[in-house]
Amino acid sequence: MAKVDLELVKMVLTRNEVETRLVADIIKEIQQESAAETDEEKEPVVKKQYVVVVYDPEGQLEGMELTGSIVQIPEDESVYTAVERLHRAGYEFNTTKKGRRMPVKTVGEVCENVPARITKEQKIWVKHKEPCFLLRTDGILPTENTGKHIDKRKKDA
């Protein structure tokens, strides 16, 4: 709804020859309603944590290309609930009219096709509709330009 300045409302009402007392009553009522709207308690913002859900159809992390989705769940929840939340969102979507026509069958399809309003109800937020590539690393920064890391024990010996 558009926000309108109270002075503008007052000016329009007086221009249309509305009684001064009636204008004052209308302005007072508008002020009371707007104060009531701001007094209503809003739902607190949920702190979230990121989780990368990796698709591993073979059951192994060994492979050349792994893909996954980046999702967020509430910060105070265990990361292991992310997959369960995606499953519930998929079940919920499959009960809708569109879901009955084109049901989702995999976690990847849930991330790509289920609307945000359904995933939000399950308290999971999918950050990218398209899958992302997952790269593995040993976690050690290289110290030479060759891109290989040096074992400090061998260097000192």
Side-chain angles (χ1 to χ4, degrees):
M1 181 179 235
K3 304 270 183 186
V4 180
D5 185 33
L6 288 178
E7 293 299 319
L8 180 63
V9 173
K10 191 175 187 180
M11 183 182 71
V12 170
L13 289 173
T14 54
R15 188 182 325 150
N16 288 314
E17 300 175 2
V18 178
E19 292 181 25
T20 308
R21 284 189 179 172
L22 185 58
V23 169
D25 290 342
I26 291 171
I27 296 297
K28 186 176 179 183
E29 191 173 337
I30 290 173
Q31 287 174 337
Q32 289 173 348
E33 289 295 323
S34 66
E37 278 184 17
T38 57
D39 289 345
E40 290 179 5
E41 190 174 317
K42 294 184 179 179
E43 193 171 313
V45 177
V46 177
K47 285 191 166 191
K48 304 171 196 165
Q49 62 180 330
Y50 284 98
V51 178
V52 178
V53 178
V54 178
Y55 312 142
D56 189 18
E58 290 82 27
Q60 304 172 4
L61 289 179
E62 298 298 322
M64 297 304 289
E65 291 184 1
L66 295 174
T67 57
S69 291
I70 299 172
V71 298
Q72 280 185 307
I73 59 171
E75 192 175 59
D76 56 342
E77 296 290 328
S78 170
V79 295
Y80 298 109
T81 64
V83 175
E84 178 186 329
R85 291 172 190 274
L86 287 171
H87 289 172
R88 286 194 314 236
Y91 295 144
E92 188 71 30
F93 174 74
N94 286 342
T95 62
T96 64
K97 184 178 179 182
K98 186 176 180 182
R100 286 190 299 270
R101 273 188 290 136
M102 300 181 318
V104 293
K105 296 177 180 145
T106 65
V107 173
E109 288 178 352
V110 170
C111 293
E112 292 175 18
N113 300 323
V114 174
R117 79 176 159 79
I118 293 177
T119 58
K120 188 176 179 182
E121 288 174 3
Q122 302 302 324
K123 294 187 178 177
I124 189 161
W125 295 264
V126 179
K127 296 321 247 177
H128 301 281
K129 288 289 185 182
E130 298 160 2
C132 304
F133 285 106
L134 176 72
L135 299 176
R136 289 185 291 139
T137 180
D138 59 3
I140 299 173
L141 291 176
T143 55
E144 293 181 355
N145 291 337
T146 61
K148 296 180 181 178
H149 63 80
I150 298 174
D151 190 359
K152 290 184 179 182
R153 291 174 285 175
K154 290 181 182 176
K155 185 178 178 183
D156 294 337

